[in-house]
Amino acid sequence: MALAARALWPGGRALAWGLGRRPPPGLLVQGQASFAGAAGGPGPAATARKGSPRLLGAAALALGGALGLYHTARWHLRAQDLRAELSAVQLSLSGRLQLTLYQYKTCPFCSKVRAFLDFHALPYQVVEVNPVRKAEIKFSSYRKVPILLAQEGDNLQQLNDSSVIISALKTHLVSGQSLEDIITYYPPMKAMNDQGKEVTEFCNKYWLMLDEKEAQRMYGGKEARTEEMKWRQWADDWLVHLISPNVYRTPAEALASFDYIVREGKFGVVEGALAKYMGAAAMYVISKRLKRRHHLQDDVREDLYEAANKWVAAVGKDRPFMGGQKPNLADLAVYGVLRVMEGLEAFDDLMRHTRIQPWYLRVEKAIAEAPR
């Protein structure tokens, strides 16, 4: 039954003005300068026609306004063209990929990957893995989920680890490099965890492998790139460890959580009944150990609330997402982790007692409205 429990706890600037911002001041000034040049001084025509200053002023105003509107519209249309070209390139790249995601639906790491795929309108098939037998991933020596199989032409690539999957696919969409080359940038490495157990870690997993121009186009500056990486890692290293202690906080919550896991997962009738009751009891006990291991407060809800408010403070009041006008990889990671609690008491408490709900709903809407 401890195995069953893993179902929820697995061990560019050039486009900116085309996205609703004001056009560069220089473009408006050009129209204003035309008006000022025509109306600012008397000139020969004004001297010859002293009796009609209003007519000259109206003509200058019309000319200046027309020039300003022309240049503004021209810039806006060009920005739209650039955005359409970029979207067409990404669509072309994504169309060449056939993706299959092996997952537990209630796993926060798998939910992160789905949030990324859905937001980027990448079509994929889902294979729900039985958390006890894992027969669906018997082809793989890597025994955790998510696993993503990516068919790219004649090449089939296996991508492991949620953050590697996201970084590799985003690198592919932005740079056009082949996944076969990209995955060599994220080599696996054996390491020992705090419990003395050998685990597989992946180097560079929060990095996108872009050249300077691609990175500038995507982030606009080093600060945005560093911020995104920092909070993606925070989602993996801290936020995800708050999920199990909160959804298994009490016997009733543990039973409700496993009822959801069995309903959404891939279990047989008998297997599902055993998982629901025995798994709930086991994870209630294990959640207490997790609370001690991660030094959580007596009421683990407080840690969850603090984490949510910390994230909201990092996003700030002046932007809808950490990524600015649209979610970045950190937004999608935090959203994906929290989404697995939907329908449970812990999620309702989180929405009620923190400031995270407006941001959460904005990300949800952005994913739902992504072009398909």
Side-chain angles (χ1 to χ4, degrees):
M1 289 305 104
L3 288 173
R6 295 177 186 169
L8 191 59
W9 183 252
R13 293 188 178 181
L15 304 181
W17 298 283
L19 298 175
R21 300 183 187 178
R22 295 181 61 191
L27 295 179
L28 294 177
V29 168
Q30 191 167 5
Q32 294 164 356
S34 300
F35 172 72
T47 303
R49 301 183 181 183
K50 292 181 180 179
S52 55
R54 292 184 179 179
L55 181 62
L56 284 174
L61 178 62
L63 178 62
L67 285 172
L69 287 173
Y70 167 75
H71 287 292
T72 300
R74 183 182 178 188
W75 178 267
H76 181 71
L77 290 172
R78 177 57 182 152
Q80 284 185 323
D81 289 342
L82 288 171
R83 183 172 58 180
E85 289 170 12
L86 181 59
S87 298
V89 169
Q90 292 195 354
L91 184 61
S92 175
L93 289 171
S94 65
R96 295 203 298 264
L97 290 177
Q98 297 180 28
L99 305 176
T100 304
L101 177 65
Y102 293 81
Q103 67 157 22
Y104 307 142
K105 185 175 181 180
T106 54
C107 161
F109 297 106
C110 300
S111 180
K112 278 171 47 186
V113 174
R114 292 198 310 275
F116 171 87
L117 295 173
D118 291 339
F119 178 71
H120 290 85
L122 293 170
Y124 60 99
Q125 294 182 325
V126 170
V127 176
E128 194 69 21
V129 176
N130 182 292
V132 179
R133 296 189 299 273
K134 296 187 179 182
E136 295 80 7
I137 55 173
K138 63 182 179 182
F139 62 85
S140 174
S141 59
Y142 183 81
R143 303 299 291 169
K144 296 181 180 180
V145 293
I147 293 173
L148 187 76
L149 294 186
Q151 183 80 42
E152 185 182 17
D154 295 330
N155 295 321
L156 180 65
Q157 304 296 331
Q158 178 176 329
L159 285 72
N160 305 321
D161 185 272
S162 61
S163 292
V164 171
I165 292 170
I166 291 168
S167 293
L169 287 177
K170 187 65 175 181
T171 297
H172 173 71
L173 292 176
V174 175
S175 71
Q177 301 175 66
S178 71
L179 282 177
E180 184 178 13
D181 291 335
I182 291 171
I183 61 174
T184 63
Y185 304 142
Y186 305 101
M189 179 180 65
K190 298 293 184 181
M192 302 296 289
N193 65 14
D194 295 338
Q195 290 73 48
K197 181 180 178 181
E198 186 178 77
V199 295
T200 301
E201 293 292 345
F202 293 86
C203 302
N204 312 315
K205 64 182 180 179
Y206 301 108
W207 272 96
L208 302 190
M209 302 303 172
L210 308 174
D211 63 26
E212 289 186 12
K213 289 184 179 180
E214 292 162 348
Q216 180 68 21
R217 184 180 70 192
M218 179 171 174
Y219 293 108
K222 293 181 179 179
E223 295 80 7
R225 187 176 197 174
T226 301
E227 182 183 50
E228 180 185 78
M229 293 171 60
K230 169 188 172 181
W231 288 96
R232 288 181 67 193
Q233 184 170 0
W234 175 82
D236 285 355
D237 291 351
W238 178 245
L239 184 62
V240 78
H241 294 298
L242 302 179
I243 304 300
S244 285
N246 273 277
V247 300
Y248 303 124
R249 184 180 62 154
T250 66
E253 287 182 88
L255 190 60
S257 296
F258 261 86
D259 181 64
Y260 170 65
I261 289 170
V262 171
R263 190 169 64 250
E264 297 293 336
K266 187 175 182 179
F267 294 90
V269 176
V270 176
E271 191 176 54
L274 290 172
K276 178 178 177 179
Y277 294 101
M278 297 181 67
M283 281 310 298
Y284 171 71
V285 175
I286 292 173
S287 69
K288 306 307 176 186
R289 298 176 186 172
L290 293 173
K291 183 172 78 171
R292 292 192 295 271
R293 179 187 301 173
H294 298 293
H295 308 290
L296 304 183
Q297 300 178 52
D298 288 338
D299 184 356
V300 293
R301 282 287 198 276
E302 295 303 320
D303 295 284
L304 184 63
Y305 298 160
E306 287 178 11
N309 287 329
K310 182 177 182 178
W311 166 255
V312 172
V315 173
K317 298 179 180 179
D318 299 328
R319 53 184 180 176
F321 308 102
M322 181 165 282
Q325 296 305 307
K326 62 181 180 179
N328 67 7
L329 300 184
D331 287 292
L332 296 174
V334 173
Y335 172 83
V337 169
L338 296 177
R339 180 172 60 175
V340 298
M341 297 190 297
E342 284 190 11
L344 300 176
E345 184 179 335
F347 183 83
D348 294 339
D349 288 346
L350 178 67
M351 295 296 113
R352 188 181 305 115
H353 297 293
T354 72
R355 304 187 304 274
I356 204 168
Q357 187 174 37
W359 167 86
Y360 187 91
L361 294 177
R362 286 195 295 268
V363 180
E364 184 176 65
K365 182 180 179 182
I367 293 174
E369 293 179 350
R372 295 294 188 265

